[in-house]
Amino acid sequence: MTKETPVQPQPLADLPVPDGHGIYTFPDDLHRAHQAHTKQLAARHRTHDHRVLEVTAPHTRVPYCIEARTPAGRPVLVIEPHHDDFALSASGTFLARPRPLTVATVFTRSRSVHPALEAMYADVGAVSELRDREGAAALAPFAARRLLLGHKDAEPPYRPYDPGLLDQVTEELRRIAAAHPGAELLAPAAVTRHPDHLLVHEAAVRVGCTWFWEDLAFWATYALAGCDQHLFRTRTGATMRPELVDITDVVLDKVTVLRMHGSQMYPARKMYRPIRHAFTTAADLVDGTGLYAERFYRTEESTC
């Protein structure tokens, strides 16, 4: 991974640990720690600290405070299947190590919301508009540019993706990549079985991407069920080299980013799940000092 100077984090509230007693209390412990962190930042915001940005979650209309990042270094072109995929899987890394981001979202038409909210957002137009605002709010702290490709996402029962759509998306991404010369490409590894993730991964590979995040697509499995892992290893063999990024110092800011996607992660306290996975991932950190981490993969031919 390209070396950048990490941001200097502000002192955080005590981070909860989802082990021991926390195996039962972690969702509420994390919720309280995030509330305390947000309160600290809100106090700075009231003093007109220009480094603190207020962002409002589009579904809940709840405002949160987060320190805006100053991007530096080589630009990154992020290719995500859906509006929340970068936030779920890779946002902590770029909160800790900000780089200039352009985020291309492939499947931006959807009627997918949490089942409890389906009556409120009843059609593709309402859901798509909401998820667009959620994506914009989540990416605001990164000062990211957004590109929306406008495709309709897959719906259950899932089937293999259409090869013709793969060709179309590949050509669209090829044009976008050509318009961003020098940018490093980043896309999902497609650990998950979701056809949209599998399609976007293959399209990204076709346009030269060699850097991928461990995608956390399904709430039920987080792409970490044994069958998902088996299929991922079968597809990739030894071609994917894992690398971890410590996100301990920014994990509560990542919770703020996730709060923007309230139509998918509902109620708010259930957003502990990707953070719980980040705790598990951190067990593989070489120095063993971080509490939370995100996992990426490089293809073996990559020299970045």
Side-chain angles (χ1 to χ4, degrees), residues 239-303:
T239 62
M240 291 279 206
R241 173 171 50 85
E243 54 185 36
L244 272 61
V245 177
D246 187 342
I247 65 166
T248 305
D249 289 337
V250 298
V251 72
L252 296 179
D253 280 338
K254 177 168 180 172
V255 175
T256 299
V257 172
L258 296 179
R259 289 283 197 269
M260 299 303 105
H261 289 286
S263 74
Q264 307 302 302
M265 290 165 270
Y266 179 89
R269 69 186 293 277
K270 290 192 175 179
M271 295 180 195
Y272 77 89
R273 290 168 173 170
I275 307 304
R276 179 63 179 82
H277 174 60
F279 175 80
T280 303
T281 301
D284 293 330
L285 285 169
V286 174
D287 58 16
T289 59
L291 286 177
Y292 297 94
E294 291 174 339
R295 182 178 287 110
F296 294 79
Y297 297 92
R298 296 267 186 192
T299 53
E300 287 302 319
E301 63 269 24
S302 173
T303 58

Side-chain angles (χ1 to χ4, degrees), residues 215-234:
D215 38 345
L216 311 180
F218 288 131
W219 280 115
T221 68
Y222 279 101
L224 298 175
C227 54
D228 282 347
Q229 287 288 338
H230 170 72
L231 291 170
F232 177 66
R233 290 191 296 268
T234 299

